[in-house]
Amino acid sequence: RKLLGFGDEEVISDIQDNALHILNGCNDPRNNGENWGDNRQGLVYGMVQSGKTASMLSLISLGMRAGYRLFIVLAGDKSSLRDQTQNRVNGAFDVEGGSNRREFIHSPTHVSDFRQIANGNYISNFKFNERTGRGENWTTIIVMKKQTHHLNALIAQLNDLQFALEEAGHDMGQILPTMILDDEADYASQNTRIQDGGSTTHNDLVNLRNAIPRNCYLAYTATPQACLSANPASLIGY
């Protein structure tokens, strides 16, 4: 009830049942990912105004308990939608000033989009010192627009993070199993320029998945036609 912000028991139960069903189709991060397998992808279809954000919040909460430690929420292409989703995340997980130190949850995007974070780098944005030096098991939630400059800034920091983790003797796949939640996945994510080397945002999302050793990609949409028509062999396909 606190997580979702309302008290209708029947609706809450339905949302949780569906979130558990979605999680069951994701990669298994438990036991250091010994049963992870190939990185998976899937489509979450919900009717318009059916509670997709509530589903994502419930899925993040359950995924966190299962062992996922990085959640990337791609919240459309408008700042208003990104800010609205971020506010829901802040409230659901008690993120104040960017962190919930009681439960080791933080969100580097708590006040602004990824590329606009003041003095942001992989050390602060992914709690590098806390994870590697202190052994603290932080969960990072990034809420960002699905826009090329933000996506490429994130990819660059993930590449820097992987290099630094390897230098410190850590396996990024084990330390940062990731769930990518692509809201409105029918918009911009699909490859509409196959003959021209691929659409910009689609290619960015492919590069994002390639930058993370262990990640599960979930496409959320109320209009799935473009997603269903995508190349099933593509990392952003279905």
Side-chain angles (χ1 to χ4, degrees):
R1 286 195 294 269
K2 182 179 182 300
L3 176 78
L4 299 180
F6 57 87
D8 188 319
E9 295 287 350
E10 185 177 351
V11 174
I12 289 172
S13 177
D14 183 62
I15 290 171
Q16 186 174 52
D17 286 348
N18 278 282
L20 284 165
H21 178 67
I22 296 166
L23 182 65
N24 191 50
C26 296
N27 295 90
D28 186 354
R30 297 172 298 178
N31 302 318
N32 288 324
E34 65 179 29
N35 295 314
W36 181 274
D38 293 332
N39 289 338
R40 295 183 182 179
Q41 60 208 48
L43 178 68
V44 182
Y45 169 55
M47 300 295 286
V48 175
Q49 297 298 315
S50 63
K52 292 195 297 297
T53 302
S55 171
M56 287 190 284
L57 290 173
S58 184
L59 181 61
I60 290 171
S61 179
L62 293 167
M64 206 179 296
R65 297 184 197 185
Y68 280 92
R69 287 296 169 260
L70 173 61
F71 297 88
I72 301 170
V73 182
L74 304 170
D77 70 332
K78 294 181 173 57
S79 294
S80 57
L81 178 58
R82 191 218 77 87
D83 293 347
Q84 182 183 59
T85 304
Q86 181 71 62
N87 288 337
R88 291 285 301 276
V89 166
N90 293 346
F93 298 102
D94 294 329
V95 175
E96 296 181 5
S99 297
N100 174 346
R101 296 189 177 277
R102 185 181 66 259
E103 299 181 42
F104 293 103
I105 301 169
H106 83 115
S107 180
T109 56
H110 65 108
V111 293
S112 61
D113 212 334
F114 192 82
R115 190 167 177 250
Q116 298 158 343
I117 299 170
N119 301 319
N121 54 51
Y122 75 89
I123 294 174
S124 58
N125 288 340
F126 297 97
K127 297 286 186 183
F128 178 82
N129 293 329
E130 290 83 349
R131 293 181 196 273
T132 59
R134 302 177 197 167
E136 295 175 351
N137 202 16
W138 282 87
T139 295
T140 301
I141 305 175
I142 294 171
V143 182
M144 60 189 296
K145 290 196 297 293
K146 193 164 34 176
Q147 197 268 350
T148 188
H149 297 300
H150 294 291
L151 288 167
N152 280 290
L154 174 58
I155 292 165
Q157 288 196 24
L158 287 166
N159 288 334
D160 290 342
L161 175 65
Q162 182 164 13
F163 180 80
L165 286 171
E166 289 175 354
E167 286 283 293
H170 295 280
D171 183 339
M172 183 170 167
Q174 289 186 357
I175 206 169
L176 214 66
T178 301
M179 186 180 290
I180 302 170
L181 299 98
D182 186 354
D183 196 8
E184 309 296 347
D186 57 298
Y187 175 77
S189 301
Q190 304 310 312
N191 191 3
T192 57
R193 299 181 60 184
I194 298 172
Q195 305 302 323
D196 300 320
S199 307
T200 299
T201 302
H202 174 85
N203 289 346
D204 290 339
L205 294 179
V206 170
N207 291 335
L208 175 62
R209 293 204 69 190
N210 284 328
I212 306 170
R214 291 181 183 169
N215 70 86
C216 184
Y217 171 82
L218 294 133
Y220 269 78
T221 185
T223 50
Q225 291 86 346
C227 300
L228 293 171
S229 300
N231 180 359
S234 169
L235 291 177
I236 310 300
Y238 168 74

